[in-house]
Amino acid sequence: MMTELTIDACKVMWVVGALQRLATLGMIGPDIPLKLTPEAVDNYLEIDNHRDLLFESDFEIATIFNALAKDECDEEPSPEDTEAIIDLILEYKNNRTEIVKFALSHQSI
């Protein structure tokens, strides 16, 4: 059952969950500073089903990611690193199935 969350909380949860999923798939490094609690995963999955309706623009996702990165990193990440990760998050948002298939096809057995 989904806990009542604000729209802004849903947006942040989606970005964190997307990062965690990309790390799990091996698309980014495993050392992401924020992770969903096991209790929050059901909420994330429900939010992920509606991700296309959640954000008004890709700029929102970039802004949330940049704010999280600044809050959680000891050193400010380079613009090149943040741009690459933001591009991957956006690709995941727009083409989740293809990204997952690609990642799984390139994992070692």
Side-chain angles (χ1 to χ4, degrees), residues 22 28 65 78-90:
L22 291 167
I28 61 175
F65 174 78
S78 73
E80 296 82 20
D81 289 341
T82 57
E83 285 178 28
I85 294 173
I86 290 168
D87 287 346
L88 191 55
I89 294 169
L90 296 175

Side-chain angles (χ1 to χ4, degrees), residues 20-28 92 96 99-100 103-104 107:
Q20 187 172 342
R21 183 72 190 267
L22 291 167
T24 301
L25 291 168
M27 303 289 292
I28 61 175
Y92 178 77
R96 178 184 61 184
I99 292 289
V100 171
L104 293 176
Q107 288 182 349

Side-chain angles (χ1 to χ4, degrees), residues 4-63:
E4 285 293 319
L5 298 170
T6 66
I7 297 295
D8 288 340
C10 289
K11 291 176 180 182
V12 171
M13 181 180 279
W14 186 84
V15 171
V16 171
L19 287 166
Q20 187 172 342
R21 183 72 190 267
L22 291 167
T24 301
L25 291 168
M27 303 289 292
I28 61 175
D31 297 329
I32 55 172
L34 292 173
K35 295 183 180 171
L36 298 176
T37 64
E39 298 80 25
V41 171
D42 287 339
N43 286 343
Y44 167 75
L45 293 174
E46 183 65 29
I47 292 166
D48 190 46
N49 287 332
H50 305 285
R51 68 192 178 280
D52 293 329
L53 305 173
L54 186 60
F55 299 98
E56 292 181 29
S57 70
D58 292 345
F59 181 74
E60 278 187 280
I61 294 170
T63 301

